[in-house]
Amino acid sequence: MVKWLFRIAAAVVLTAALGWGWQTFFPSNERQIRRLLDRVAETVSIPTDGRFVGGVLAADRLKSYFTPGIEVDVDVPGEGRHTFTGREELTQVYLLARSQHRGLRVEFLDVLVAVGPDGQAATAELTARIRQTGDKDFGVQELRLQLHKGEDAWRIHRVETTRSIKL
Amino acid sequence: MSDPNVTPHVSLLQRILIGRRPKRTLFRALVLATVAAFLFGYVLVPVRISGLSMEPSYHDHSVNLINRPLYLLREPRRGDVVAVGTTGWHIMYCKRIIGLPGETLVIRSGTVFINGQALEEPYVKARDAWEVAPVQLKAGEVFVIGDNRGMEQERHVFGIVERPKLLGPMLW
């Protein structure tokens, strides 16, 4: 009886390990996109002791997550609409934000990913929470992202504001 | 051989921590944890309110519970303070319903008109001269807004919400 229990437990552990290994080394499109979004959120967050060199490196890393023709169209309540295209402009906006803010934490919550039937295009909807380190208050932005799969990886092609409350 | 009808003696400390019968205590703790997880995860969802848009009715950093099953039993009503979901339920908006499906709503100099009639809003204590062009609500749509009309209109999130995005009304 005890031997059988051990065998069943071992089989469960082995199955779980194989499943984890498969997902780690052969991730699905949805998992790849979620990992990309985690990296984007981590990169756009600004550390409390952010240095110029760190900012340049982060901006360079950030560029790699977007297509060359990236289009951004966001509407921030109280600050109006901001639109820009291209990686260079994206980098400039990021470095400007980094020079004006310290200790900004960005999280992407409730991420919904829908991959197209051809597996080359996808849409992600998420809620971004932006919080100053140590502050309980936060800003919220609902976003819709369109992604394309290039030769080696998924990249973000378009970012736009979406709203649950529309006027 | 021990008598099965006699409870073994346990120290006061042990009795306080795990009870006279640890197995029964563990079972009760598991039942309590399961009920609490279900209750506060799916029935009465705790929320912390952040921001000023619902002042003075609801204060920044105050805590409340969302009554999820209520909208399974009845339709949303005017005056309900509701939680509006975003892409999920981690972050929600807390707003008041002022317009119902099929109604035409307009805001002129801060006063809300529903189908041409001025709406009485005793919960609004400060009123800026907000202006909103006429909005025709379709079936399954409500109009939500915060109570703090003294803030700038541009900084306030308000407007049309579809029924599935309403998680439920606040409990108090």
Side-chain angles (χ1 to χ4, degrees):
Chain A
M1 176 70 172
V2 173
K3 207 191 297 187
W4 275 108
L5 281 173
F6 267 119
R7 285 177 182 174
I8 290 168
V12 168
V13 168
L14 187 62
T15 306
L18 284 171
W20 174 85
W22 185 265
Q23 285 187 345
T24 302
F25 295 105
F26 305 101
S28 63
N29 280 322
E30 183 179 331
R31 189 169 275 268
Q32 289 177 45
I33 290 169
R34 288 180 183 276
R35 283 184 190 167
L36 167 67
L37 296 175
D38 285 342
R39 288 196 297 269
V40 171
E42 194 182 326
T43 305
V44 297
S45 296
I46 302 170
T48 316
D49 59 350
R51 296 197 173 97
F52 177 73
V53 173
V56 171
L57 291 172
D60 205 49
R61 205 163 52 239
L62 193 66
K63 269 190 336 190
S64 68
Y65 302 145
F66 296 87
T67 61
I70 171 68
E71 300 166 10
V72 178
D73 182 3
V74 292
D75 188 359
V76 183
E79 294 187 21
R81 199 168 167 186
H82 300 278
T83 58
F84 52 89
T85 53
R87 283 170 167 172
E88 289 310 314
E89 216 172 328
L90 173 73
T91 309
Q92 285 169 19
V93 168
Y94 171 69
L95 288 172
L96 179 65
R98 204 176 158 109
S99 68
Q100 293 174 344
H101 298 283
R102 284 280 182 270
L104 217 59
R105 188 173 167 209
V106 177
E107 296 166 279
F108 291 161
L109 304 172
D110 296 323
V111 179
L112 304 170
V113 177
V115 180
D118 60 355
Q120 299 300 309
T123 303
E125 293 191 1
L126 54 90
T127 304
R129 178 166 63 186
I130 303 114
R131 185 162 31 191
Q132 202 85 31
T133 308
D135 199 352
K136 276 187 185 175
D137 295 327
F138 52 86
V140 173
Q141 185 73 210
E142 294 176 75
L143 298 170
R144 179 180 294 123
L145 286 66
Q146 290 174 20
L147 301 102
H148 292 166
K149 190 167 188 179
E151 288 172 5
D152 53 342
W154 285 93
R155 287 193 171 82
I156 301 167
H157 175 66
R158 182 175 168 79
V159 179
E160 60 183 349
T161 295
T162 184
R163 292 193 190 283
S164 298
I165 303 178
K166 304 180 181 83
L167 190 60
Chain B
M1 191 176 311
S2 60
D3 185 342
N5 292 321
V6 174
T7 308
H9 173 74
V10 293
S11 67
L12 178 63
L13 181 64
Q14 188 178 347
R15 223 187 305 160
I16 291 170
L17 289 176
I18 58 174
R20 288 177 199 270
R21 298 200 175 108
K23 283 183 187 172
R24 191 161 71 178
T25 305
L26 179 64
F27 176 73
R28 285 174 173 174
L30 284 172
V31 168
L32 190 64
T34 305
V35 169
F38 176 75
L39 184 69
F40 295 113
Y42 299 97
V43 180
L44 296 175
V45 180
V47 290
R48 183 174 65 85
I49 291 167
S50 181
L52 305 173
S53 71
M54 284 300 292
E55 292 276 356
S57 310
Y58 295 88
H59 302 301
D60 192 19
H61 304 313
S62 63
V63 174
N64 212 310
L65 293 169
I66 301 169
N67 186 349
R68 282 199 74 178
L70 191 62
Y71 283 169
L72 298 174
L73 303 173
R74 67 158 174 86
E75 287 300 302
R77 292 176 188 159
R78 195 183 333 273
D80 282 354
V81 177
V82 295
V84 179
T86 52
T87 54
W89 305 115
H90 268 96
I91 295 180
M92 294 171 273
Y93 292 103
C94 174
K95 301 289 174 188
R96 189 182 297 273
I97 296 175
I98 60 168
L100 297 174
E103 294 177 344
T104 302
L105 180 146
V106 63
I107 303 180
R108 288 197 291 264
S109 297
T111 301
V112 176
F113 293 86
I114 306 287
N115 295 337
Q117 301 283 324
L119 180 67
E120 272 195 44
E121 296 188 279
Y123 41 80
V124 175
K125 306 300 181 194
R127 206 182 287 269
D128 223 9
W130 289 16
E131 297 288 336
V132 174
V135 172
Q136 175 66 49
L137 295 168
K138 297 180 198 150
E141 289 181 343
V142 296
F143 196 97
V144 298
I145 196 168
D147 290 353
N148 187 0
R149 314 285 175 80
M151 62 191 290
E152 293 168 37
Q153 182 175 344
E154 293 72 31
R155 301 199 80 90
H156 196 109
V157 176
F158 64 98
I160 302 166
V161 176
E162 290 171 5
R163 179 76 169 79
K165 286 282 187 180
L166 300 178
L167 183 62
M170 296 292 161
L171 197 61
W172 63 79

